[in-house]
Amino acid sequence: MQQERGRAGALLTIDLRALRNNFRFLQGLLGPAECGAAVKADAYGLGAIPVSQALVAEGCRHLFVAQLEEAISLRAHIAPEIAIYVMHGSPVGYEAEFLEYACTPVLNSLDQIRAWRALAVTKRQALPAIIQIDTGMARMGLSRAEMKAWFADASLTEGIDLRYVMSHLACAEDQLDPMNQQQLQAFQIFLTHLRLQYPSLKASFANSSGIFLGGDFHFDLARPGAALYGVAPVAGQESPMESVVQLQGRIIQTRDIAMGTTVGYSKTWKATQPSRIATVAVGYADGWLRSLSNCGVAHIAGIEVPMVGNVSMDTITLNVSHVPPALLVPGALVDLICPDNTVDQVAKQAGTIGYEILTSLGPRYQRHYVDV
Ligand SMILES: *Cc1c(COP(=O)(O)O)cnc(C)c1O
């Protein structure tokens, strides 16, 4: 929906230059290993098509989505030589659509492998795939027992053009968690076995945080998502990533309230002195999470203001008593995600992670892509 900018209740600005800088930074850390990109869930809410196109222009050749449907809608906008991998693999019975739309499945079970091999036999051609193995997350990929079955029967992957073997880290943002080394070791042992059968087999292991665990975790291809979009990759450390998202909400009206007045649903905030309240056109229907009630902040011309009262569906209320009135006119913009209040800070206030703040960004925002 094309919206008139001045009419929109809130503006979401996505900085594609910062995105491209983040990609180049991660590619630099990876050295000879390639930097792919996770663009699932509409590129974490930022827009899969513009984000993917900007990354491809920067040299990215490997895009990862979760579902076939996502891959199909992206394919038409992305050059055919750029790989689009579907991490959930094929929905049962839809293998042929991967050929039609030139998408590559990540095969997560013996059944998915068998179905892909069957299609390769029918088509009399080797078909590309990634195989995912579970090294500890217990979410997707071949289990230890399935790996044994594969080692015992090499014909399982006959006719499959095995592009990469991949696995996924469960705790990579915590660099001290021993699970990182345990998963790395398990992955290396599987790879050593598999290379007896596939001597030049390539591997993909690291997500954003995994890249920062060091060269042992890089292998041939990394799959960062969050860090590209400005989320801090290492817990407890200052983020080296540029912020990509800026969110501004518009003031609808302000009011002066007496001491003792309560604000909003369920009267969860009460003024302890005469106060001025500004109402802003962003609410939980826009992904401004209700858990930010009475603990989020906003900035008006650099002045921090607390969110008071519960987040409503379409609005939030700010205590703006200490802000010059000239900055509070209806239509004025307040900063909700900005350098003073990053995605990670908002996430902390809401009791969640930056990933959820980004993927919740709502459809009502007027979106604006800048690339300068
Ligand atoms: C989402 C996802 C990624 C990207 O993870 P980030 O932490 O956002 O970098 C990589 N690999 C798999 C399997 C994923 O599901």
Side-chain angles (χ1 to χ4, degrees):
M1 180 171 51
Q2 203 52 42
Q3 272 184 337
E4 174 69 30
R5 203 168 156 76
R7 212 160 64 188
L11 310 179
L12 181 66
T13 306
I14 293 154
D15 185 345
L16 296 176
R17 188 194 48 80
L19 172 79
R20 293 192 285 105
N21 289 346
N22 286 341
F23 178 84
R24 276 206 309 279
F25 176 71
L26 295 180
Q27 181 61 80
L29 290 180
L30 286 163
E34 278 192 274
C35 192
V39 295
K40 59 193 181 186
D42 203 24
Y44 294 40
L46 274 54
I49 292 168
V51 161
S52 299
Q53 287 174 335
L55 292 172
V56 167
E58 208 55 52
C60 180
R61 303 181 52 81
H62 304 270
L63 301 172
F64 289 83
V65 295
Q67 301 182 8
L68 174 58
E69 209 58 45
E70 298 179 291
I72 290 173
S73 37
L74 191 54
R75 179 81 279 175
H77 304 272
I78 296 295
E81 67 271 18
I82 308 301
I84 302 179
Y85 305 101
V86 177
M87 292 195 285
H88 290 183
S90 179
V92 176
Y94 286 84
E95 288 76 16
E97 298 208 359
F98 282 77
L99 301 187
E100 189 178 336
Y101 294 100
C103 305
T104 308
V106 174
L107 307 174
N108 294 300
S109 67
L110 293 184
D111 283 341
Q112 285 190 340
I113 291 174
R114 288 192 192 100
W116 195 240
R117 185 185 58 177
L119 185 65
V121 168
T122 312
K123 298 284 176 190
R124 296 170 189 274
Q125 73 186 92
L127 298 181
I130 290 179
I131 291 181
Q132 176 161 217
I133 61 186
D134 179 11
T135 53
M137 192 161 171
R139 183 181 72 167
M140 284 200 295
L142 303 195
S143 66
R144 204 165 276 268
E146 287 183 302
M147 289 301 288
K148 279 198 180 139
W150 184 14
F151 294 145
D153 178 9
S155 75
L156 262 173
T157 44
E158 256 171 32
I160 294 179
D161 170 13
L162 187 51
R163 294 286 167 89
Y164 296 91
V165 161
M166 73 175 240
S167 192
H168 192 45
L169 289 158
C171 308
E173 71 286 352
D174 180 358
Q175 299 200 322
L176 299 177
D177 197 306
M179 190 159 184
N180 296 321
Q181 291 298 331
Q182 288 160 10
Q183 288 194 265
L184 177 63
Q185 264 179 28
F187 194 52
Q188 284 166 334
I189 289 168
F190 285 136
L191 278 176
T192 305
H193 274 279
L194 289 170
R195 284 193 171 128
L196 299 175
Q197 186 186 344
Y198 292 96
S200 56
L201 181 61
K202 291 184 181 176
S204 174
F205 197 44
N207 63 340
S208 298
S209 302
I211 295 172
F212 292 81
L213 293 173
D216 287 352
F217 288 77
H218 291 173
F219 295 92
D220 301 291
L221 171 64
R223 313 180 303 271
L228 291 171
Y229 311 127
V231 173
V234 183
Q237 281 185 24
E238 202 185 324
S239 179
M241 311 316 299
E242 288 188 29
S243 50
V244 175
V245 165
Q246 187 193 9
L247 178 64
Q248 298 166 292
R250 213 179 279 289
I251 294 175
I252 308 166
Q253 68 170 198
T254 58
R255 71 191 55 246
D256 294 325
I257 60 172
M259 187 177 104
T261 307
T262 61
V263 173
Y265 284 120
S266 310
K267 49 186 185 192
T268 59
W269 188 82
K270 185 190 268 192
T272 55
Q273 55 192 327
S275 303
R276 179 166 295 148
I277 300 295
T279 302
V280 173
V282 167
Y284 61 76
D286 301 299
W288 201 249
L289 304 181
R290 196 164 170 278
S291 55
L292 288 164
S293 298
N294 289 304
C295 52
V297 299
H299 287 79
I300 300 176
I303 305 167
E304 182 170 309
V305 293
M307 287 171 48
V308 295
N310 280 348
V311 176
S312 297
M313 186 181 292
D314 312 302
T315 55
I316 51 175
T317 34
L318 306 172
N319 182 354
V320 294
S321 305
H322 55 299
V323 177
L327 298 173
L328 301 174
V329 294
L333 291 170
V334 309
D335 294 318
L336 295 171
I337 300 176
C338 60
D340 287 332
N341 196 36
T342 63
V343 169
D344 292 296
Q345 287 170 298
V346 174
K348 197 164 184 205
Q349 293 149 20
T352 183
I353 54 176
Y355 296 65
E356 192 177 27
I357 298 299
L358 292 182
T359 56
S360 300
L361 291 169
R364 275 196 297 204
Y365 296 146
Q366 205 242 333
R367 286 168 180 246
H368 184 52
Y369 291 88
V370 296
D371 194 352
V372 284

